[in-house]
Amino acid sequence: MDASRGPPRVKNKAAAPQQISAEQLLREAVDRQEPGVQAPTQRFADLEELHEYQSRKRTDFENYVRRNRLNMGNWFRYAQWELEQKEYRRARSVFERALDVDPTIVQLWVRYIESEMKERNINHARNLLDRAVTILPRVDKLWYKYVYMEEMLGNIAGTRAVFERWMSWEPDEAAWGAYIKLEKRYGEYDRARGVFERFTIVHPEARNWIKWARFEEENGTSDLVRDVYGAAIETLGEEFMDEKLFIAYARFEAKLKEYERARAIYKYALDRMPRSKSATLHKQYTTFEKQYGDREGVEDVVLAKRRVMYEEQVKENPKNYDSWFDYARLEESSPSSSPDRVRDVYERAIAQVPPSQEKRHWRRYIYLWIFYALYEELQARDMQRAGAVYAEALKLIPHKKFTFAKVWILKAQFHIREGDLSAARKTMGLAIGMCPKSKLFRAYIEMELKLFEFTRCRTLYEKWIEWDSGNTSAWIKFGELERGLDDVERARAIFELAIVQPVLDMPELLWKAYIDFEEEEAQEPEEYERPRALYERLLEKTDHVKVWISYAHFEINVPDPSAPDSEHASPEAIKRARAVFTRAHGLYKEKALVEERVALLQAWKGFEDTHGTEEEREKLAKMMARRVKKRRRLDDDSFEEYMDYVFPADDEGSAKMGKLMAMAQKWKKEQEAGGGGA
């Protein structure tokens, strides 16, 4: 056959007229099997040949289990073969060796136990079951087999003892149900009640209490049923209330035609359960009132007029947070409202998450969480719920896009009021790590300052300026902290590091704080060189008039070393301050900065009025600017009037210069005329 041609093609793909099933093919293969191909039937001539065969098989099995001890199939086949040979002791040996390999294989125990039970070795089986449940107490299959065997043997006391051992491990609900059914089968109802009591302690779900109540309804009295329901309500409490329990209780009372009792049960549940967890309960109560009550009974479950109004508003627009605020305030201030009803309003309100992750849409919404937490803490006095509200609020906020520092701070303050300082620090640390903000740093530092944890404050300031090196307030507060701790050199280093930052939001405040710091720290005359040098460095960066005025005021306030307690400025200080004013005036005059020059002269005038002589005041009066009205031409050839400043000293100097130039020109002409005549 040519391989290049590919596989043969089927020309006719239609179904064959006579169909043959797979089962028929297998059956015919067995029936038509030739005798020579069939599995041989081994016959043994004597006992010695049988023993030789058994020895050979055991050798093979031993080789199998030696090669792969963890393969339980080999052990199972080995043990089963020994059982077929009626070698029960050898089979037990194989099982025991397999258990030594891995005693946690449930199927191994089951095979071992079933082999003993099959051979009616009851004591062996009982011992094995005891060992199995001791090693694997959480495997229900072994326990079920144990109690089944004991009950089938009629050993009810032993069965009960096994159940007691089993129940000590607190198994699932099915195991308790099996124990209860055992006691019911033999009419031990008091014992069954005891089991139910322990059952509801281990599994206190509402459905298990309902099972107990139905048991008492079938086998006990109505008083016992009421006792069960009462114990269930008391045990579960308000936190784990379940509407199914109250519905079953009310239906039982209605069945006994105790309608007032049923109504009281419904009202009790509705007053304590939130609306979100009692929708079915409301429907059942309405149905009950329609069947057994009157119109007033139906109206008792309906909210008051204002509540209905708020319900309509929030239903029409669930994202109207102002309506939720009013609704919650109404429930909080109403004497008839229970904490659960207020919580229900808040839970429904906070479920209305803003549709977009834009902070402006969340500003009103986040206050729902804040008011909820404050209500739990201040009115409900439920600190655990208050902490949970704060935690859920922080989980909901998309911190990667924006955050609310107020929530973090309020949560930390809540922990402080609770006396849990580590939780407060953890909250603030998490806030700074996830979404750092200046407000968070300030609040955290303020908290640590009140606790006198100055080392933590230093660390926080370092992280703050590392995150935002251009924040002037952070640098200033850091320096003030070090100064307050009497670490002047550290404070000076912080200020030096701050003023060399390339970008600062308010550099003028930083320089002022640094200069004020050096000025306040200066005690000796030579120490005043530090703030003076800072002023000079600042003037290299800016020509602002306030800097010059502040510089002059600083110089006038430098104390005289010869008379440190004198209230009047020393002549040297006045001279230095006047020199500062003179430098500034010359600079502004050179750069033609009119507004700055006017402001400087006004400050200079105040200085001379206080510290200057009459001669200096007269000299300065000639330099003062005069405000005049001028006209200028606009683009459309019209004129407008404006106010301008004129400096008489500049005009006087210009006039003198003009006269000098005229005389020089006249002299030049005379010289030229004299030379021409010669």
Side-chain angles (χ1 to χ4, degrees):
M1 182 178 177
D2 191 359
S4 61
R5 295 181 180 179
R9 296 182 180 179
V10 179
K11 297 181 179 179
N12 186 5
K13 296 183 180 180
Q18 185 176 0
Q19 297 294 317
I20 303 175
S21 64
E23 182 182 359
Q24 183 178 355
L25 290 173
L26 292 173
R27 186 168 55 250
E28 290 182 358
V30 173
D31 294 341
R32 298 179 182 179
Q33 191 173 16
E34 297 179 1
V37 184
Q38 292 180 356
T41 300
Q42 191 168 4
R43 298 180 182 276
F44 302 102
D46 53 12
L47 191 60
E48 182 180 355
E49 188 175 352
L50 174 62
H51 289 166
E52 183 183 354
Y53 163 75
Q54 290 176 341
S55 177
R56 188 170 60 253
K57 288 292 288 185
R58 287 192 183 100
T59 303
D60 293 339
F61 279 122
E62 289 292 340
N63 291 332
Y64 291 152
V65 297
R66 186 174 61 253
R67 291 193 199 103
N68 191 354
R69 298 174 67 250
L70 299 179
N71 187 355
M72 287 295 134
N74 293 332
W75 294 102
F76 290 159
R77 287 188 289 272
Y78 192 3
Q80 183 62 33
W81 183 81
E82 293 289 0
L83 290 172
E84 291 174 356
Q85 303 300 315
K86 308 298 182 181
E87 295 284 350
Y88 301 119
R89 298 182 66 180
R90 288 181 177 274
R92 288 192 193 102
S93 175
V94 173
F95 277 122
E96 292 294 339
R97 288 167 61 193
L99 288 174
D100 289 339
V101 173
D102 189 354
T104 62
I105 303 297
V106 179
Q107 188 62 27
L108 178 60
W109 287 102
V110 172
R111 290 279 189 93
Y112 194 3
I113 293 164
E114 287 180 348
S115 66
E116 297 292 354
M117 292 172 65
K118 187 176 181 180
E119 299 300 327
R120 299 182 181 277
N121 296 325
I122 303 303
N123 288 330
H124 278 288
R126 186 176 286 125
N127 292 335
L128 283 175
L129 284 167
D130 186 75
R131 287 171 57 195
V133 298
T134 303
I135 295 173
L136 302 173
R138 293 296 182 185
V139 179
D140 292 342
K141 186 174 183 179
L142 298 174
W143 288 104
Y144 280 120
K145 188 170 288 293
Y146 199 173
V147 296
Y148 176 76
M149 184 189 75
E150 295 291 354
E151 188 176 1
M152 289 297 101
L153 294 172
N155 186 10
I156 306 304
T159 307
R160 189 175 289 115
V162 174
F163 267 118
E164 287 296 330
R165 286 180 60 189
W166 190 4
M167 296 306 109
S168 65
W169 289 95
E170 298 182 356
D172 58 8
E173 298 176 7
W176 291 92
Y179 192 7
I180 293 167
K181 288 178 181 177
L182 171 74
E183 300 295 358
K184 287 173 65 177
R185 279 197 297 272
Y186 296 98
E188 297 288 345
Y189 298 115
D190 290 336
R191 289 181 179 272
R193 289 188 185 93
V195 176
F196 263 120
E197 185 176 356
R198 292 157 57 195
F199 176 32
T200 51
I201 293 174
V202 176
H203 298 283
E205 288 81 7
R207 60 178 179 273
N208 298 327
W209 289 98
I210 295 173
K211 290 178 183 177
W212 188 4
R214 287 174 180 168
F215 165 79
E216 296 293 355
E217 193 174 348
E218 294 175 0
N219 306 292
T221 62
S222 58
D223 291 335
L224 290 175
V225 177
R226 291 190 181 104
D227 291 342
V228 171
Y229 280 119
I233 295 171
E234 183 179 356
T235 303
L236 294 177
E238 295 185 0
E239 187 176 358
F240 298 100
M241 278 186 176
D242 194 327
E243 59 181 354
K244 295 179 181 178
L245 181 67
F246 292 100
I247 292 171
Y249 193 5
R251 284 178 176 174
F252 167 73
E253 295 292 354
K255 189 186 298 183
L256 298 178
K257 298 184 179 180
E258 294 286 350
Y259 303 124
E260 290 302 324
R261 283 177 177 269
R263 185 176 288 107
I265 292 166
Y266 277 120
K267 288 185 177 181
Y268 176 87
L270 290 172
D271 290 340
R272 286 162 176 76
M273 292 189 66
R275 186 67 177 267
S276 58
K277 296 182 180 179
S278 59
T280 307
L281 187 65
H282 275 271
K283 293 180 181 178
Q284 293 295 329
Y285 186 23
T286 305
T287 304
F288 169 79
E289 290 292 349
K290 288 180 180 179
Q291 291 178 350
Y292 308 109
D294 51 11
R295 186 174 181 179
E296 294 179 358
V298 179
E299 290 178 353
D300 287 341
V301 298
V302 181
L303 295 172
K305 185 177 180 180
R306 289 189 63 192
R307 288 173 180 159
V308 173
M309 180 185 68
Y310 287 131
E311 285 288 348
E312 292 175 353
Q313 288 181 1
V314 298
K315 185 177 180 180
E316 181 180 356
N317 184 9
K319 299 297 188 290
N320 186 1
Y321 301 125
D322 291 330
S323 298
W324 287 111
F325 289 141
D326 296 336
Y327 195 2
R329 288 289 179 268
L330 173 68
E331 295 292 353
E332 288 182 25
S333 59
S334 176
S336 61
S337 294
S338 63
D340 288 336
R341 180 173 288 176
V342 180
R343 290 178 183 131
D344 180 45
V345 174
Y346 274 119
E347 290 292 340
R348 292 163 58 197
I350 60 179
Q352 305 301 324
V353 183
S356 63
Q357 291 188 351
E358 294 184 20
K359 191 169 184 178
R360 59 190 180 89
H361 294 151
W362 286 66
R363 293 187 188 277
R364 297 289 289 166
Y365 169 73
I366 204 64
Y367 275 97
L368 288 170
W369 288 93
I370 294 174
F371 292 155
Y372 189 9
L374 292 176
Y375 165 77
E376 293 289 357
E377 180 183 1
L378 302 177
Q379 296 190 32
R381 302 291 181 182
D382 193 337
M383 304 307 172
Q384 186 175 1
R385 279 181 175 269
V389 171
Y390 280 122
E392 290 299 323
L394 291 175
K395 287 181 183 178
L396 188 63
I397 299 172
H399 299 289
K400 292 184 178 180
K401 295 189 176 181
F402 60 85
T403 190
F404 290 94
K406 182 184 291 293
V407 181
W408 291 103
I409 295 170
L410 287 174
K411 186 174 186 293
Q413 292 173 350
F414 164 75
H415 288 307
I416 291 175
R417 288 192 293 272
E418 289 294 295
D420 193 350
L421 184 58
S422 61
R425 283 175 173 154
K426 184 177 180 181
T427 299
M428 296 303 295
L430 184 62
I432 290 173
M434 291 179 60
C435 43
K437 292 181 69 174
S438 296
K439 189 175 181 180
L440 291 170
F441 280 106
R442 280 195 294 270
Y444 197 0
I445 291 169
E446 183 181 356
M447 181 183 77
E448 296 294 353
L449 277 175
K450 291 179 180 179
L451 297 170
F452 299 102
E453 293 285 349
F454 301 116
T455 304
R456 290 179 179 271
C457 293
R458 280 175 177 157
T459 304
L460 289 172
Y461 273 121
E462 290 172 2
K463 291 184 178 296
W464 190 1
I465 60 180
E466 182 181 351
W467 170 69
D468 185 8
S469 59
N471 192 320
T472 302
S473 176
W475 289 104
I476 295 174
K477 293 289 185 182
F478 196 4
E480 290 177 353
L481 171 69
E482 298 297 348
R483 184 186 177 192
L485 297 175
D486 292 334
D487 197 339
V488 178
E489 291 302 323
R490 186 188 286 266
R492 185 174 289 121
I494 290 169
F495 279 118
E496 282 292 337
L497 186 61
I499 61 177
V500 300
Q501 296 300 316
V503 178
L504 289 170
D505 53 359
M506 290 182 291
E508 65 279 2
L509 295 181
L510 181 62
W511 281 95
K512 183 179 184 304
Y514 192 8
I515 292 170
D516 291 344
F517 160 75
E518 292 291 2
E519 187 175 352
E520 292 172 5
E521 289 295 327
Q523 301 295 332
E524 301 296 331
E526 59 272 9
E527 293 179 354
Y528 282 93
E529 289 298 327
R530 288 183 181 273
R532 188 175 288 117
L534 284 177
Y535 272 116
E536 293 294 340
R537 290 168 62 186
L538 179 57
L539 289 173
E540 293 176 2
K541 296 177 176 292
T542 179
D543 294 331
H544 201 282
V545 65
K546 290 185 178 180
V547 179
W548 288 102
I549 295 172
S550 178
Y551 191 6
H553 287 170
F554 159 74
E555 293 291 2
I556 199 64
N557 291 322
V558 174
D560 188 2
S562 60
D565 297 333
S566 176
E567 297 180 357
H568 301 286
S570 65
E572 288 296 327
I574 296 173
K575 184 178 179 180
R576 289 194 300 268
R578 187 176 288 118
V580 172
F581 279 119
T582 304
R583 283 176 57 194
H585 183 263
L587 179 65
Y588 289 148
K589 182 178 179 181
E590 180 182 353
K591 293 185 177 181
L593 300 175
V594 177
E595 298 292 340
E596 290 81 355
R597 187 177 176 186
V598 171
L600 180 72
L601 288 171
Q602 291 292 337
W604 194 356
K605 182 177 182 300
F607 163 76
E608 294 295 353
D609 290 342
T610 305
H611 305 284
T613 62
E614 189 65 30
E615 181 182 355
E616 293 293 339
R617 285 193 286 270
E618 290 179 358
K619 182 179 178 181
L620 182 62
K622 296 178 181 180
M623 298 168 60
M624 296 298 294
R626 185 176 73 253
R627 201 174 186 195
V628 297
K629 185 183 294 185
K630 293 184 178 181
R631 296 178 66 193
R632 58 187 171 194
R633 186 188 296 272
L634 300 177
D635 294 338
D636 57 354
D637 293 335
S638 60
F639 292 88
E640 71 168 358
E641 292 183 350
Y642 68 98
M643 303 304 294
D644 196 5
Y645 290 99
V646 176
F647 297 92
D650 295 351
D651 295 341
E652 183 180 353
S654 299
K656 290 181 179 180
M657 184 60 68
K659 290 180 180 180
L660 183 61
M661 289 296 295
M663 292 175 65
Q665 290 176 359
K666 182 180 180 181
W667 177 81
K668 185 177 181 181
K669 288 180 180 180
E670 289 177 353
Q671 291 295 324
E672 290 176 354

